[in-house]
Amino acid sequence: MNPAGPALDGDVKNSYLHRFFRLLLSVIYLIAGIAHIQSPDGFLAITPGWVPFPEQVIFFTGVAEIAGAIGLLIPPRIVPHIRYAAGIGLALYALCVYPANINHALGNIAIGGETASWAYHGPRLLFQPVFIWWALIAGNVIDWPFRKG
């Protein structure tokens, strides 16, 4: 069995491009996780009202982002399947925060006194499924559409 994860065998997981994008995603999630913990107000503003204990949820989303970012960077030879678990975790995370992004867009919620236009919200909402896919690729969970053979 492949120590990187059960789904991905082949050259894709070892390519320089794949490693670069895994590192880039890790950096993005590390920065976002730190922001969730250090400056939660903007995230609290866009959290839908039906989310219980929003302060704690925002804190733990930051922890989850940081843990996922670190998990993507740990080589499978050190901790088997950690990258795979991190990829699934970050994909689920991106799915779970989608309602906050929708709430932000449809509610035209101001952050720091500023509202964002649809030039911001449209691409952000459209890119969320890409973040889900990217986490699964980075975690060696899937290799679509890069599968060889």
Side-chain angles (χ1 to χ4, degrees):
M1 177 179 237
N2 173 10
L8 195 58
D9 287 316
D11 295 334
V12 174
K13 72 172 192 259
N14 294 318
S15 74
Y16 289 112
L17 190 60
H18 185 260
R19 282 188 252 160
F20 169 77
F21 279 108
R22 184 176 58 242
L23 177 62
L24 179 60
L25 187 65
S26 294
V27 169
I28 289 168
Y29 272 115
L30 182 63
I31 291 168
I34 291 168
H36 274 82
I37 293 169
Q38 286 186 338
S39 305
D41 292 344
F43 302 105
L44 286 168
I46 67 171
T47 301
W50 50 263
V51 174
F53 309 107
E55 292 86 2
Q56 291 82 3
V57 168
I58 297 302
F59 175 80
F60 284 115
T61 58
V63 171
E65 288 173 308
I66 293 168
I70 293 168
L72 287 179
L73 298 176
I74 296 174
R77 62 180 158 44
I78 295 174
V79 182
H81 306 296
I82 191 73
R83 198 172 279 170
Y84 186 85
I88 290 173
L90 289 173
L92 290 171
Y93 167 83
L95 178 66
C96 290
V97 299
Y98 203 43
N101 296 340
I102 293 168
N103 188 48
H104 187 199
L106 298 181
N108 200 30
I109 298 168
I111 297 178
E114 299 287 326
T115 57
S117 72
W118 276 95
Y120 167 79
H121 291 300
R124 181 180 185 195
L125 292 173
L126 290 173
F127 196 72
Q128 199 74 13
V130 174
F131 263 112
I132 294 168
W133 170 81
W134 190 358
L136 295 172
I137 287 283
N140 299 331
V141 178
I142 63 170
D143 60 358
W144 177 86
F146 305 109
R147 182 176 298 128
K148 288 186 177 189

